[in-house]
Amino acid sequence: MDGTGGCMYISGVPGTGKTATVHEVMRCLLQAAEQDDIPGFSFIEINGMKMTDPHQAYVQILQKLTDQKATADHAATLLEKRFSTPAPKRETTVLLVDELDLLWTRKQNVMYNLFDWPTRRHAKLVVLAIANTMDLPERIMINRVASRLGLTRMSFQPYTFKQLQQIITSRLNRVRAFEEDALQLVSRKVAALSGDARRCLDICRRATEICEVSSSSAANGQRSGSGLVGMSHVMEALDEMFSSPYVTAIRCASLQEQLFLRAVIAEFRRLGLEEATFQQVFRQHQALCRVEGLQPVSVSEGLATCLRLGACRLLLLEPSRCDLLLRVRLNVSQDDVLYALKEE
């Protein structure tokens, strides 16, 4: 409104509506700007997941702002100049940076610039950064970046089962397609795992397809059921979505292998990244052993466990000269791991 810049850090687990909420707010603001209720502004968006290298952020921002094409280094220089030079007639720019986690570099210069530019007197830049981890600035950024991000924060909590129920109901738009118990089952199952609305809608979609198939086959023979999506359809959809060969492999894994997978997820959540070193995961593994009342394993035993999980492709391992620095990533979704390890 007053032409000054700023930044907001928006965090929360996947599927809690962060990006959708920002898009809806921006749609309303752009509409208000068209009606001259607020000063005009331009809105651009970049996504860390769509880049092979964090420095490509400079290239994309420059191209969306000016239609210029340049190398990453040249683009960074041109943007630095643009946001440092007075231009009274320039419109305010709102920059949405989705998947901020993936723009981390060793020197952290990309993140630093993204949050330094709005503080420039003549920048007229507002940065909205979206990430999955609430304490990402403190965990992986240097203090100067964390202090810049401390201006405005917003945290999206995982959806509760009642909220998930409301989301499904609103999508159904008053069409009675689900039995009440079936709706509650899918909402409670997903809320207990992650609160991810996208996963919840995927399960409902699949349950509807199963119901359609069973209804058409029933029409050929004896007609049965109410025609609504019931408990059996939801259970079948849940089994399909969570009973992949990977889930079966996790359930059949040894206790130490299951603990190691739990340690991987715990470390990913601590770091706010989807990758960690064996050394980092091993510390979590030892802590989990103590919590479970088990004797902590040695480094060689922990490494052997890690390699076995890599051999059956539950983990993706990137070799290193030093075994402790072996890079570890999951080859299956965190939801699937949590579902497989959840006690019935």
Side-chain angles (χ1 to χ4, degrees):
M1 293 289 284
D2 56 5
T4 58
C7 54
M8 174 180 275
Y9 182 70
I10 302 163
S11 61
V13 296
T16 49
K18 302 182 295 296
T19 306
T21 301
V22 171
H23 280 156
E24 179 59 22
V25 170
M26 295 315 302
R27 189 188 66 78
C28 294
L29 289 175
L30 286 166
Q31 200 171 35
E34 282 177 13
Q35 295 168 358
D36 293 328
D37 293 336
I38 60 172
F41 67 95
S42 57
F43 173 61
I44 61 173
E45 177 180 358
I46 62 171
N47 189 316
M49 195 173 280
K50 296 177 181 176
M51 298 176 207
T52 54
D53 179 76
H55 295 91
Q56 284 184 358
Y58 299 135
V59 179
Q60 290 195 17
I61 294 167
L62 182 71
Q63 191 169 357
K64 290 180 180 183
L65 276 177
T66 65
D67 287 328
Q68 277 182 271
K69 289 186 178 180
T71 63
D73 289 343
H74 189 213
T77 306
L78 291 172
L79 289 169
E80 177 72 25
K81 185 179 178 182
R82 176 187 173 92
F83 296 129
S84 304
T85 308
K89 293 183 180 179
R90 187 195 298 150
E91 272 190 340
T92 297
T93 300
V94 177
L95 169 61
L96 170 60
V97 185
D98 207 349
E99 305 289 353
L100 175 72
D101 326 51
L102 303 177
L103 294 184
W104 178 74
T105 59
R106 196 170 293 279
K107 291 184 180 178
Q108 299 161 350
N109 54 344
V110 176
M111 284 188 179
Y112 178 70
N113 284 331
L114 284 173
F115 294 102
D116 181 50
W117 287 335
T119 65
R120 306 287 174 83
R121 187 179 170 189
H122 305 292
K124 292 189 175 179
L125 176 67
V126 176
V127 171
L128 307 173
I130 299 178
N132 292 334
T133 313
M134 189 170 71
D135 54 356
L136 177 69
E138 289 76 15
R139 292 221 178 265
I140 67 168
M141 291 191 218
I142 48 181
N143 292 332
R144 60 180 185 170
V145 181
S147 64
R148 299 240 182 245
L149 279 173
L151 298 174
T152 313
R153 288 175 186 250
M154 182 176 287
S155 180
F156 282 63
Q157 299 303 314
Y159 288 116
T160 63
F161 92 90
K162 284 189 176 177
Q163 289 170 330
L164 288 171
Q165 235 179 318
Q166 286 175 345
I167 290 168
I168 300 167
T169 306
S170 70
R171 287 294 181 96
L172 290 170
N173 197 21
R174 297 185 183 177
V175 175
R176 189 165 182 266
F178 280 75
E179 291 176 4
E180 190 63 34
D181 288 348
L183 209 58
Q184 278 210 27
L185 175 65
V186 66
S187 303
R188 286 183 183 277
K189 277 280 188 184
V190 175
L193 285 172
S194 60
D196 185 334
R198 286 175 297 205
R199 178 59 69 101
C200 193
L201 292 170
D202 284 342
I203 293 167
C204 289
R205 196 175 294 114
R206 181 62 192 133
T208 306
E209 289 169 359
I210 293 166
C211 180
E212 280 179 350
V213 171
S214 61
S215 295
S216 61
S217 56
N220 298 328
Q222 186 181 357
R223 197 170 175 81
S224 61
S226 61
L228 300 176
V229 178
M231 294 280 279
S232 61
H233 305 122
V234 168
M235 285 304 296
E236 196 175 330
L238 283 165
D239 285 343
E240 267 186 33
M241 295 201 105
F242 290 115
S243 295
S244 65
Y246 286 124
V247 172
T248 307
I250 294 166
R251 283 181 170 160
C252 295
S254 70
L255 177 59
Q256 285 299 338
E257 287 166 350
Q258 290 181 348
L259 278 175
F260 196 88
L261 288 169
R262 282 173 56 191
V264 170
I265 291 177
E267 186 59 19
F268 284 1
R269 290 182 172 180
R270 187 187 77 82
L271 292 171
L273 298 170
E274 295 293 318
E275 183 179 279
T277 64
F278 165 74
Q279 185 176 32
Q280 290 169 322
V281 176
F282 181 66
R283 287 199 200 102
Q284 292 278 4
H285 187 207
Q286 286 191 309
L288 282 172
C289 284
R290 293 189 189 98
V291 169
E292 296 292 335
L294 301 169
Q295 180 70 30
V297 298
S298 65
V299 175
S300 57
E301 288 172 325
L303 185 61
T305 302
C306 180
L307 293 174
R308 282 198 302 274
L309 291 169
C312 59
R313 305 298 288 170
L314 289 171
L315 295 178
L316 295 175
L317 306 176
E318 191 179 311
S320 170
R321 288 182 182 179
C322 174
D323 287 337
L324 290 174
L325 300 179
L326 184 82
R327 308 299 297 179
V328 178
R329 283 182 292 145
L330 278 174
N331 195 30
V332 60
S333 78
Q334 292 190 23
D335 269 10
D336 286 347
V337 177
L338 293 172
Y339 183 81
L341 298 178
K342 196 171 170 58
E343 291 181 11
E344 296 297 330

